[in-house]
Amino acid sequence: MSLVTPAPPVDVSGFDAAIERLSTGAKAWAAMSLGERGELIARTHDSVARVAERWTRTALDIKGLDPKSALAGEEWLSGPYATLAGFGTVAHSLATLAGGVSPIGSITPKKAPGGRLAWRVLPLDSREALLFHGFSAEVWTLPGVSEADVRTDSGADASRTGVSGGVGLVLGAGNITSIGPLDVLTELVVHHRATILKINPTFANLLTVYRHALAPLIEADLLRVVQGGATEGAYLCNHDGISHVHITGSVETHDAIVWGRGKDSATRRREGRPVLNKPITSELGGVSPVIVVPGEWTPADLRFQAENIVSMRLHNAGHNCCAAQMIVIDAAWPQREEFVRELRAALTRVPSRAPWYPGSDQRLKDAARAHSGAETFSDGDRLLIQVQPDEVCPLMRTEYFAPVLGLVELDGGGARGLLDRAIEYVNHELAGTLSANILIAPAERRNLGAAFDEAVSRLDYGGIAINTWTGLAFLAPTATWGAFPGHTLDDAQSGIGIVHNALLMAHSERTVVTGPFRPFPRSVLNGEMALFPKPPWFVTARSAASTGRKLSGYASGPSWAKLPSIFASAFRA
């Protein structure tokens, strides 16, 4: 059972003084040199490292997890590790800029379809190449933007001095503990805004932890961490001293902030009269697909990839904005029935874990009620729902934020046909553009050749994962994170703007992460040359807690000496 403590009432009058102090802090940030900014971010990184253990234990208490459980690895990775990696990389980027060198200076891009450039941002050095062996990440820049323009403009915003962005409001997410601190980092470094971080009521018990972890920013009057619910959020959103709002949450919450609630909100939206009188950026989730490209898979491949998909859904008990929700397969795939059987087995095999996020039980009931034939697993805590290709149903338009998986079979007739049909389907039938996943065996990818990259370019998603999960794009600090560009206030879908991007890349369109189709040692036996075993974000990774803790230790101070113990733990997964 979740141990979330309801947030006590907050006196909003204290917010006025906080905003005034932050306004002064933003001006002080504007006066700092790049070197001074980098040193401040580095001190904050060290401060986070000192409370990493307490941070993780508090998150485990909130989510009702046993600290000795392998699932504790989720909290190490998505909390302290992601935060440490982000702050550490940004500190290095600022120091690099202070020395007159671009953070992307060592990267040579390659051509990508449609006049794009693909910039490999993971791995960046030999330590990363070994630590993430078999995994990579590329940031694809916008069509038609030249290499020279990307190089000139990358880091330019962060390099500006003498400019204050005022005070921003970050409405923090209530599911992943690193989201709020990393959003604050983006606000400060890229947009020169001091920040009030209002944490979600689910994370009320983290208030003191955040204040200790981010103490250098607080002491510099660049951050205040507060708590409260909708009342406090509304007060801050409409405060004259707030110049910008950033939210991680649902599109419904975004629209309520922008257009208001009640019967007049539709009229205001239609007439373009938002109630919010300042800019807003957002990350709003969506219905994330997994496209399964048909091929000749071994029984071990079928089992591993079914477990891969189930992990994409059940990580954090299903409460992730990039959690897999709709599986797309080829109706004519000879192994279709065997694959679905393995999917059901994985949903049954993974140990039971009750959803902890508020409202999850009701969303599960709503999903079961809205879709006839929904299959239940783990005493009703997981659902598998098969829908028809021409069906329009809530599963396609609703981010359930709970352990709900959909399955649709399209008439693909092979790898190329399935990709074409699936891309058309997910681009136009599913809500949101945050994340999409593709599973494809190496032989099929080789056979498709350049047509595969061209297919990837037609996916209108800000994060795309090939044979891995888009959660890796979230974890990798050098990657960008956010919806596909082009959304508007009246059609926000998965949001507006990007975060993370610790290399300060300009003109980004999407991040594409790639992993091995098979884990070690089967990867090497099949010619993939990937030395990574079962990834630590798999919900079945037995050593995930140890690996997550050690990776957090590595992110607090990367060194060759820390790698052997990480590998020893990872290979026990």
Side-chain angles (χ1 to χ4, degrees), residues 37-227:
R37 294 176 184 181
E39 290 171 2
L40 177 57
I41 299 303
R43 291 200 303 274
T44 309
H45 167 271
D46 294 343
S47 182
V48 171
R50 287 193 291 272
V51 300
E53 179 83 33
R54 183 181 168 200
W55 179 323
T56 303
R57 283 298 298 263
T58 305
L60 292 171
D61 288 345
I62 289 171
K63 298 180 182 183
L65 290 174
D66 184 344
K68 297 179 181 178
S69 164
L71 293 176
E74 294 182 358
E75 298 313 312
W76 277 107
L77 283 176
S78 64
Y81 171 77
T83 307
L84 287 164
F87 275 77
T89 307
V90 166
H92 183 266
S93 291
L94 289 174
T96 300
L97 284 170
V101 178
S102 169
I104 65 167
S106 63
I107 304 175
T108 301
K110 67 178 184 181
K111 291 182 179 180
R116 297 171 174 88
L117 293 173
W119 302 72
R120 188 164 185 164
V121 298
L122 179 76
L124 283 178
D125 56 34
S126 53
R127 276 201 309 250
E128 282 191 347
L130 187 58
L131 187 60
F132 296 100
H133 200 280
F135 290 85
S136 64
E138 296 176 340
V139 173
W140 288 21
T141 43
L142 290 163
V145 179
S146 70
E147 177 180 348
D149 285 343
V150 175
R151 292 195 183 280
T152 298
D153 296 338
S154 292
D157 288 337
S159 296
R160 288 185 302 153
T161 56
V163 176
S164 169
V167 181
L169 168 65
V170 168
L171 299 172
N175 61 325
I176 295 294
T177 61
S178 63
I179 291 177
L182 290 174
D183 289 348
V184 166
L185 183 62
T186 298
E187 287 289 291
L188 180 60
V189 172
V190 178
H191 305 296
H192 309 285
R193 287 191 280 265
T195 301
I196 281 194
L197 168 61
K198 190 193 80 66
I199 60 176
N200 189 288
T202 59
F203 285 167
N205 290 352
L206 276 166
L207 179 66
T208 303
V209 174
Y210 280 151
R211 287 175 173 172
H212 286 163
L214 305 172
L217 299 182
I218 294 172
E219 292 162 3
D221 285 333
L222 294 171
L223 174 66
R224 292 293 184 271
V225 186
V226 302
Q227 62 185 23

Side-chain angles (χ1 to χ4, degrees), residues 287 289 326 328 387-398 408 410 421-432 461 493:
V287 177
M326 182 68 81
V328 183
V387 301
Q388 300 304 312
D390 57 353
E391 184 177 354
V392 178
C393 61
L395 187 66
M396 301 160 62
R397 312 305 303 169
T398 305
V408 62
L410 304 181
R421 284 290 312 279
I423 290 168
E424 182 74 13
Y425 180 84
V426 303
N427 279 349
H428 297 101
E429 302 300 330
L430 303 185
Y461 288 83
Q493 294 205 39

Side-chain angles (χ1 to χ4, degrees), residues 218-283:
I218 294 172
E219 292 162 3
D221 285 333
L222 294 171
L223 174 66
R224 292 293 184 271
V225 186
V226 302
Q227 62 185 23
T231 299
E232 292 78 17
Y235 181 85
L236 288 167
C237 283
N238 294 291
H239 196 289
D240 289 341
I242 295 294
S243 62
H244 180 275
V245 176
H246 178 81
I247 176 176
T248 301
S250 69
V251 68
E252 290 80 13
T253 302
H254 168 275
D255 288 349
I257 292 170
V258 173
W259 305 108
R261 300 182 186 274
K263 61 182 180 180
D264 294 335
S265 61
T267 301
R268 285 192 290 267
R269 184 198 292 257
R270 187 170 58 252
E271 296 176 353
R273 295 187 294 106
V275 296
L276 186 71
N277 63 355
K278 60 203 65 175
I280 183 171
T281 52
S282 51
E283 192 265 82

